[in-house]
Amino acid sequence: MGPRTLVMGIVNVTPDSFSDGGKFLEKDRAVRHAATLVSEGADILDIGGESTRPGAPDVGAEEELARVLPVIRALRTEISIPLSIDTRKSEVAAACLDAGAAIVNDVSGLRDPAMVDVVASRGAGLVIMHMRGDPQTMQQAPTYRDVVTEVGDFLAGQARAAMSGGVAREAIVLDPGIGFGKTVEHNLELLRGIPRLRARGFPVLMGHSRKSFIGKLTGDRPAEDRLEGSLAAATLSAAWGADIVRVHDVRETVRVLKVADALCRPAAGEPSTSRSRPTGEGSDLGTSSRIRVSGIPVRARIGVTERERAVPRTLLMDCEFDVPWVATDALHATTDYAAASHAAVRAVQAREWLLLESAAQAAALAVRPLTHGAVVIRIRKRSPPGLPAEASEVEVRLR
Ligand code: HH2
């Protein structure tokens, strides 16, 4: 998890977007609006020329480009934050990247077969979003067995396809597509499922802003009256580990996230190590909200001498994860400690180690993206047979 949740501001250059359709269709207005979002603290701007609200008609590539290209060209010289192009069409993506956009936000999750190549060839960022069906049909009785798993499987598969096509792993962001073929309950499950989606190993973007589930939960409020609900969803998205939120109300979201991030995100820091004899009990994290998995056996080759490394030996590892307070008894609102512990074991087994602390640091770094807060890894080893009996323990803490 990054130290701060990034805010992607929405610039819809469309006549018919669900909450701001027609307001910024004219180029100068769109550019002024974009400049305002930047001054309010947006980290990224997402420029879209085709509404994907339920029932929206398809727009041809030519029309879409006529809307967005002049805005991207004008913004490229005026602002310095990255621009994202919200499109399902590879030809629109290509032209916008060539005009200065840095990211493609594809709400169709790579249905255009040429999209991967366009992104890969230009070294662009890529948001892969899940949508069930298309905007015309997506809200017709959406059903899932387990929405978080199904959406996660789809996104992970598309991410793999993108990487095979040459897109860098670090360039990929996953988005479960709030409101795209989902009921209110599906949207809520996907929000609560952010930790499970993050466990797929990619940053996560959430696009909840002003969407109809917020209207429904707050007494059928119209899109322009969904600010408080949108901020609640942004706050919990941040707490549950979202890396980016895509929002209309940038000023308010930036302020809310300053507080939310300060409350629930640890400051980024380098791993620190301390070497000690086994002491038996715990560490000094000072919070009662913690998961501890103790005594995990790990077979690894470790030791300063070749003789020590000649045979794998069993180390014992403890993993401790600081977890956020959760308002519900929902598993997906917390750290998946089985997945996190497996990641730690795999990291230690991945190679030979001279030093116990390097192995523990590698485990901590492997686990940290899967958790919500500080990680403590403790590894104990015994001397190999034939050397003086001595046990040592290393503890690594990563905030
Ligand atoms: N939602 C919309 C459009 N693009 N992109 C991502 N990655 N995630 C989203 O949730 C998402 C998106 C729909 O919102 P909006 O742009 O405000 O409306 P419209 O599609 O009507 O233009």
CSV table of all heavy atoms in Angstrom, one decimal, residues 237-263:
chain,number,residue,atom,x,y,z
A,237,SER,N,-12.5,3.3,1.2
A,237,SER,CA,-11.7,2.7,0.2
A,237,SER,C,-10.2,2.9,0.6
A,237,SER,O,-9.4,2.0,0.5
A,237,SER,CB,-11.9,3.4,-1.2
A,237,SER,OG,-13.2,3.1,-1.6
A,238,ALA,N,-9.9,4.1,1.1
A,238,ALA,CA,-8.5,4.4,1.6
A,238,ALA,C,-8.2,3.5,2.7
A,238,ALA,O,-7.1,2.9,2.7
A,238,ALA,CB,-8.4,5.9,2.0
A,239,ALA,N,-9.1,3.3,3.7
A,239,ALA,CA,-8.8,2.5,4.8
A,239,ALA,C,-8.6,1.0,4.4
A,239,ALA,O,-7.8,0.3,5.0
A,239,ALA,CB,-9.9,2.6,5.8
A,240,TRP,N,-9.3,0.6,3.4
A,240,TRP,CA,-9.2,-0.8,3.0
A,240,TRP,C,-8.1,-1.0,2.0
A,240,TRP,O,-7.9,-2.1,1.5
A,240,TRP,CB,-10.6,-1.3,2.5
A,240,TRP,CG,-11.6,-1.5,3.6
A,240,TRP,CD1,-11.3,-1.8,4.9
A,240,TRP,CD2,-13.0,-1.3,3.5
A,240,TRP,NE1,-12.5,-1.9,5.6
A,240,TRP,CE2,-13.5,-1.6,4.7
A,240,TRP,CE3,-13.9,-1.0,2.4
A,240,TRP,CZ2,-14.9,-1.6,5.0
A,240,TRP,CZ3,-15.2,-1.0,2.7
A,240,TRP,CH2,-15.7,-1.3,3.9
A,241,GLY,N,-7.4,0.1,1.6
A,241,GLY,CA,-6.2,-0.2,0.8
A,241,GLY,C,-6.2,0.3,-0.6
A,241,GLY,O,-5.3,0.0,-1.4
A,242,ALA,N,-7.3,1.0,-1.1
A,242,ALA,CA,-7.3,1.5,-2.5
A,242,ALA,C,-6.1,2.4,-2.7
A,242,ALA,O,-5.7,3.2,-1.8
A,242,ALA,CB,-8.6,2.2,-2.8
A,243,ASP,N,-5.5,2.3,-3.9
A,243,ASP,CA,-4.4,3.2,-4.2
A,243,ASP,C,-4.8,4.5,-4.8
A,243,ASP,O,-4.1,5.5,-4.7
A,243,ASP,CB,-3.4,2.4,-5.1
A,243,ASP,CG,-2.9,1.1,-4.4
A,243,ASP,OD1,-3.6,0.1,-4.5
A,243,ASP,OD2,-1.8,1.2,-3.8
A,244,ILE,N,-5.9,4.4,-5.6
A,244,ILE,CA,-6.4,5.6,-6.3
A,244,ILE,C,-7.9,5.6,-6.2
A,244,ILE,O,-8.5,4.5,-6.3
A,244,ILE,CB,-6.0,5.5,-7.8
A,244,ILE,CG1,-4.5,5.2,-8.0
A,244,ILE,CG2,-6.4,6.7,-8.6
A,244,ILE,CD1,-4.1,4.9,-9.5
A,245,VAL,N,-8.5,6.8,-6.0
A,245,VAL,CA,-9.9,6.9,-6.1
A,245,VAL,C,-10.2,7.9,-7.3
A,245,VAL,O,-9.5,8.9,-7.4
A,245,VAL,CB,-10.6,7.4,-4.8
A,245,VAL,CG1,-10.6,6.3,-3.8
A,245,VAL,CG2,-9.9,8.7,-4.3
A,246,ARG,N,-11.2,7.5,-8.1
A,246,ARG,CA,-11.6,8.4,-9.2
A,246,ARG,C,-12.8,9.1,-8.8
A,246,ARG,O,-13.9,8.5,-8.6
A,246,ARG,CB,-11.8,7.4,-10.4
A,246,ARG,CG,-12.3,8.1,-11.7
A,246,ARG,CD,-12.6,7.1,-12.8
A,246,ARG,NE,-13.0,7.8,-14.0
A,246,ARG,CZ,-14.2,8.2,-14.3
A,246,ARG,NH1,-15.2,8.0,-13.4
A,246,ARG,NH2,-14.5,8.8,-15.4
A,247,VAL,N,-12.7,10.5,-8.8
A,247,VAL,CA,-13.8,11.3,-8.2
A,247,VAL,C,-14.1,12.5,-9.0
A,247,VAL,O,-13.2,13.1,-9.7
A,247,VAL,CB,-13.5,11.7,-6.7
A,247,VAL,CG1,-13.2,10.4,-5.8
A,247,VAL,CG2,-12.3,12.6,-6.6
A,248,HIS,N,-15.4,13.0,-8.8
A,248,HIS,CA,-15.8,14.3,-9.4
A,248,HIS,C,-15.4,15.4,-8.4
A,248,HIS,O,-15.0,16.5,-8.8
A,248,HIS,CB,-17.3,14.3,-9.6
A,248,HIS,CG,-17.8,13.2,-10.5
A,248,HIS,ND1,-18.1,11.9,-10.0
A,248,HIS,CD2,-18.1,13.2,-11.8
A,248,HIS,CE1,-18.6,11.2,-11.0
A,248,HIS,NE2,-18.5,11.9,-12.1
A,249,ASP,N,-15.6,15.1,-7.1
A,249,ASP,CA,-15.4,16.2,-6.1
A,249,ASP,C,-14.0,16.1,-5.5
A,249,ASP,O,-13.7,15.6,-4.4
A,249,ASP,CB,-16.4,16.0,-5.0
A,249,ASP,CG,-17.8,16.0,-5.6
A,249,ASP,OD1,-18.3,17.1,-6.1
A,249,ASP,OD2,-18.5,15.0,-5.6
A,250,VAL,N,-13.0,16.7,-6.2
A,250,VAL,CA,-11.6,16.6,-5.9
A,250,VAL,C,-11.3,17.3,-4.6
A,250,VAL,O,-10.7,16.8,-3.7
A,250,VAL,CB,-10.7,17.1,-7.1
A,250,VAL,CG1,-9.3,17.2,-6.6
A,250,VAL,CG2,-10.9,16.1,-8.2
A,251,ARG,N,-11.7,18.6,-4.5
A,251,ARG,CA,-11.3,19.4,-3.3
A,251,ARG,C,-11.7,18.7,-2.0
A,251,ARG,O,-11.0,18.5,-1.1
A,251,ARG,CB,-12.0,20.7,-3.4
A,251,ARG,CG,-11.6,21.7,-2.3
A,251,ARG,CD,-12.2,23.0,-2.5
A,251,ARG,NE,-13.7,22.9,-2.5
A,251,ARG,CZ,-14.5,23.6,-1.7
A,251,ARG,NH1,-14.0,24.5,-0.9
A,251,ARG,NH2,-15.8,23.4,-1.7
A,252,GLU,N,-13.0,18.2,-1.9
A,252,GLU,CA,-13.5,17.6,-0.7
A,252,GLU,C,-12.8,16.2,-0.5
A,252,GLU,O,-12.5,15.9,0.6
A,252,GLU,CB,-15.0,17.4,-0.8
A,252,GLU,CG,-15.9,18.6,-0.9
A,252,GLU,CD,-16.0,19.3,-2.3
A,252,GLU,OE1,-15.2,18.8,-3.2
A,252,GLU,OE2,-16.8,20.2,-2.5
A,253,THR,N,-12.6,15.5,-1.6
A,253,THR,CA,-12.0,14.2,-1.4
A,253,THR,C,-10.5,14.3,-0.9
A,253,THR,O,-10.1,13.5,-0.1
A,253,THR,CB,-12.0,13.4,-2.7
A,253,THR,OG1,-13.4,13.4,-3.2
A,253,THR,CG2,-11.6,12.0,-2.6
A,254,VAL,N,-9.8,15.3,-1.5
A,254,VAL,CA,-8.4,15.5,-1.1
A,254,VAL,C,-8.4,15.7,0.5
A,254,VAL,O,-7.6,15.2,1.2
A,254,VAL,CB,-7.8,16.6,-1.9
A,254,VAL,CG1,-6.5,17.1,-1.2
A,254,VAL,CG2,-7.5,16.1,-3.3
A,255,ARG,N,-9.3,16.6,0.9
A,255,ARG,CA,-9.3,16.9,2.4
A,255,ARG,C,-9.6,15.7,3.2
A,255,ARG,O,-9.0,15.5,4.2
A,255,ARG,CB,-10.3,18.1,2.6
A,255,ARG,CG,-9.8,19.4,2.1
A,255,ARG,CD,-10.7,20.5,2.4
A,255,ARG,NE,-10.3,21.7,1.7
A,255,ARG,CZ,-11.0,22.8,1.8
A,255,ARG,NH1,-12.1,22.9,2.4
A,255,ARG,NH2,-10.6,23.9,1.1
A,256,VAL,N,-10.7,15.0,2.8
A,256,VAL,CA,-11.1,13.9,3.6
A,256,VAL,C,-10.0,12.8,3.6
A,256,VAL,O,-9.7,12.2,4.7
A,256,VAL,CB,-12.4,13.3,2.9
A,256,VAL,CG1,-12.6,11.8,3.3
A,256,VAL,CG2,-13.6,14.1,3.3
A,257,LEU,N,-9.3,12.6,2.5
A,257,LEU,CA,-8.2,11.6,2.5
A,257,LEU,C,-7.0,12.0,3.2
A,257,LEU,O,-6.3,11.1,3.7
A,257,LEU,CB,-7.9,11.2,1.0
A,257,LEU,CG,-9.0,10.5,0.2
A,257,LEU,CD1,-8.5,10.1,-1.2
A,257,LEU,CD2,-9.4,9.2,1.0
A,258,LYS,N,-6.8,13.3,3.4
A,258,LYS,CA,-5.6,13.7,4.2
A,258,LYS,C,-5.8,13.1,5.6
A,258,LYS,O,-4.9,12.6,6.3
A,258,LYS,CB,-5.5,15.2,4.3
A,258,LYS,CG,-4.8,15.7,3.0
A,258,LYS,CD,-4.3,17.1,3.2
A,258,LYS,CE,-3.5,17.4,1.9
A,258,LYS,NZ,-3.7,18.8,1.4
A,259,VAL,N,-7.0,13.2,6.1
A,259,VAL,CA,-7.3,12.7,7.5
A,259,VAL,C,-7.4,11.2,7.5
A,259,VAL,O,-6.8,10.6,8.3
A,259,VAL,CB,-8.6,13.4,8.0
A,259,VAL,CG1,-8.9,12.8,9.4
A,259,VAL,CG2,-8.5,14.9,8.0
A,260,ALA,N,-8.1,10.7,6.5
A,260,ALA,CA,-8.2,9.2,6.5
A,260,ALA,C,-6.9,8.5,6.4
A,260,ALA,O,-6.6,7.6,7.1
A,260,ALA,CB,-9.1,8.8,5.3
A,261,ASP,N,-6.0,9.0,5.5
A,261,ASP,CA,-4.7,8.4,5.3
A,261,ASP,C,-3.8,8.6,6.6
A,261,ASP,O,-3.1,7.7,7.0
A,261,ASP,CB,-4.0,9.0,4.1
A,261,ASP,CG,-4.5,8.5,2.8
A,261,ASP,OD1,-5.2,7.5,2.8
A,261,ASP,OD2,-4.2,9.1,1.7
A,262,ALA,N,-3.9,9.8,7.2
A,262,ALA,CA,-3.2,10.0,8.4
A,262,ALA,C,-3.6,9.0,9.5
A,262,ALA,O,-2.8,8.5,10.3
A,262,ALA,CB,-3.3,11.4,8.9
A,263,LEU,N,-4.9,8.7,9.5
A,263,LEU,CA,-5.4,7.8,10.5
A,263,LEU,C,-5.0,6.3,10.3
A,263,LEU,O,-4.7,5.6,11.2
A,263,LEU,CB,-6.9,7.9,10.6
A,263,LEU,CG,-7.4,9.1,11.4
A,263,LEU,CD1,-8.9,9.3,11.2
A,263,LEU,CD2,-7.2,8.9,12.9
